[in-house]
Amino acid sequence: MVTPSRQTVTVWEGITPDAIPFDDLFALNQPVILKGLVNDWPMVKAGRKSPLDTMQMLEDNYSNKPMLVYRAPSEIQSRFGYNDTCTGFNFSAERSTIPDVFNTIRNELSEQEHEYLYVNSLVLKEGFPALADSHSLAFTHPEFEQNPVVAKIWLGTESVAAAHFDQPKNLACCVVGKRRFMLFPPEQVENLYPGPLHPTPGGQVVTLANFAEPDFDKFPRLKEAMDNAWIADLEPGDGLYYPSMWWHEVTAYDRFNVMVNFWWMTTERHKGNPMDVLLHGMMSLREKPEQEKQAWKALFDYYVFGDAQRVREHLPPECRGALGEMDDINARRLRSMLISNLNR
């Protein structure tokens, strides 16, 4: 196993769930471990006695709604991802229930080789509504006024979620079992060898590379990515904040693991999904002559990535149209124009 070079992840001590310094987190714009953030959560306390106690707590508070479960044979060695041709996956997805999942895990606790089970991104208040209030954080920053926070729970056996990015910001809380996050800043994308845009294991593209056994002949730029990795090792009770669009591989080490994370977007829903812009750009721009691509890059830098005020300051307010503030009405107008143009 290759150990990546470590970038220092800042560790903050003494942070409590009701007084998280979000201004400082956002200003730092990098991963931060919040040591012991959720030490007092009931599931964390139960897990310190025995993981089986947390398992029982979850089972006792289960909503009885079937949920999606990823199931894989022992041969994958906990790494959920693509099959050899990237046309599908090395696991199956099925609807199941918490008692069925937990019974399988309990029955194989003493087995060296066993099935891998992974309940992925289950909304906490839908799966375990009675536990949502006692496993929460105080989100009091102005950023959350128009951007609701969603709490999700991840549980199962050992697992490796291959490196991927998420659009929301994330505050992940380690509840049962140890976890390692290997994080990469967004500009490392070209060194991470992303897989196909479709299919994807969980909605976002993931890397083809195995960081535990890296193949530098097949993926030579991976060495640079691993040299720029940020490593965050979490104990039960720890929290980890990381910004939007940071790539991250998540390894859960124990036979039974639980994580609760909190996701939130930074812009209102009416502004749309930037991934749609990327896909449209690939369709419309990627294969244009280089000179034209550079000309369009200049336009994108001016209209999209530059100062929004600068592109409209010379225009009378009544004619700014799409260059004005992107409120819900303006977004609807633009969406209507796009639909009309795409349907031509």
Side-chain angles (χ1 to χ4, degrees):
M1 178 175 179
V2 175
T3 301
S5 300
R6 288 171 177 256
Q7 305 295 318
T8 301
V9 177
T10 301
V11 179
W12 290 353
E13 305 269 1
I15 307 298
T16 59
D18 59 345
I20 299 172
F22 286 108
D23 276 329
D24 296 332
L25 280 178
F26 299 160
L28 201 58
N29 195 37
Q30 66 185 38
V32 178
I33 295 173
L34 307 178
K35 193 67 181 173
L37 175 68
V38 295
N39 275 337
D40 292 332
W41 276 5
M43 280 195 290
V44 175
K45 290 181 175 179
R48 288 201 174 102
K49 296 177 182 177
S50 168
L52 295 176
D53 288 356
T54 300
M55 202 179 288
Q56 189 64 55
M57 180 181 293
L58 287 164
E59 200 164 355
D60 290 344
N61 290 278
Y62 176 45
S63 67
N64 293 318
K65 292 182 179 179
M67 73 285 182
L68 188 65
V69 178
Y70 292 164
R71 184 185 295 268
S74 60
E75 289 77 21
I76 76 162
Q77 298 184 345
S78 78
R79 184 177 178 80
F80 288 78
Y82 295 107
N83 60 21
D84 291 339
T85 61
C86 295
T87 57
F89 310 115
N90 64 359
F91 59 88
S92 62
E94 61 187 49
R95 291 284 172 181
S96 187
T97 65
I98 285 296
D100 286 345
V101 170
F102 286 178
N103 284 338
T104 299
I105 295 175
R106 290 189 190 102
N107 290 338
E108 297 185 341
L109 279 177
S110 61
E111 301 294 329
Q112 185 67 27
E113 293 189 356
H114 59 87
E115 277 193 297
Y116 293 102
L117 299 173
Y118 184 31
V119 177
N120 179 340
S121 193
L122 176 64
V123 176
L124 182 61
K125 67 180 180 181
E126 293 179 3
F128 309 95
L131 297 178
D133 287 343
S134 58
H135 297 81
S136 62
L137 304 173
F139 292 92
T140 56
H141 190 273
E143 182 166 288
F144 309 115
E145 292 175 3
Q146 293 184 326
N147 299 291
V149 178
V150 179
K152 295 190 175 184
I153 188 167
W154 313 66
L155 53 87
T157 61
E158 306 95 323
S159 64
V160 179
H164 61 284
F165 68 87
D166 298 314
Q167 291 189 46
K169 291 182 177 179
N170 197 326
L171 209 168
C173 299
C174 187
V175 176
V176 176
K178 296 179 180 180
R179 285 183 184 261
R180 165 171 284 192
F181 280 72
M182 190 184 302
L183 303 113
F184 307 86
E187 60 268 21
Q188 286 298 318
V189 57
E190 67 176 319
N191 300 321
L192 289 169
Y193 296 90
L197 295 176
H198 181 80
T200 61
Q204 294 284 21
V205 62
V206 307
T207 181
L208 297 182
N210 183 344
F211 299 144
E213 299 176 1
D215 185 341
F216 295 128
D217 292 329
K218 187 176 182 179
F219 305 121
R221 296 190 306 275
L222 185 63
K223 178 67 166 59
E224 183 174 346
M226 296 185 72
D227 285 344
N228 286 275
W230 298 61
I231 308 300
D233 289 318
L234 304 183
E235 302 277 347
D238 293 343
L240 173 68
Y241 167 78
Y242 53 95
S244 167
M245 305 299 290
W246 276 62
W247 290 73
H248 51 285
E249 178 178 275
V250 188
T251 302
Y253 290 107
D254 291 12
R255 184 56 59 91
F256 180 63
N257 303 269
V258 180
M259 178 178 71
V260 173
N261 71 355
F262 300 86
W263 278 347
W264 66 96
M265 300 294 283
T266 55
T267 57
E268 302 88 339
R269 287 179 61 88
H270 69 256
K271 293 180 179 176
N273 184 352
M275 193 65 186
D276 296 338
V277 182
L278 179 63
L279 294 175
H280 195 189
M282 291 168 60
M283 178 180 71
S284 300
L285 297 174
R286 185 173 58 185
E287 296 181 6
K288 282 188 173 292
E290 185 61 28
Q291 296 91 334
E292 292 184 31
K293 287 168 66 172
Q294 291 304 313
W296 279 104
K297 182 178 183 298
L299 283 178
F300 269 75
D301 286 343
Y302 179 66
Y303 283 110
V304 178
F305 299 111
D307 182 356
Q309 181 60 29
R310 185 175 185 182
V311 303
R312 59 179 176 240
E313 62 187 2
H314 59 287
L315 296 172
E318 57 269 23
C319 77
R320 290 177 177 176
L323 299 178
E325 295 291 338
M326 195 54 60
D327 56 17
D328 184 59
I329 294 174
N330 209 349
R332 288 175 183 271
R333 289 172 180 161
L334 279 177
R335 191 173 293 111
S336 178
M337 290 171 58
L338 286 169
I339 292 171
S340 176
N341 291 341
L342 288 171
N343 284 336
R344 287 178 181 172

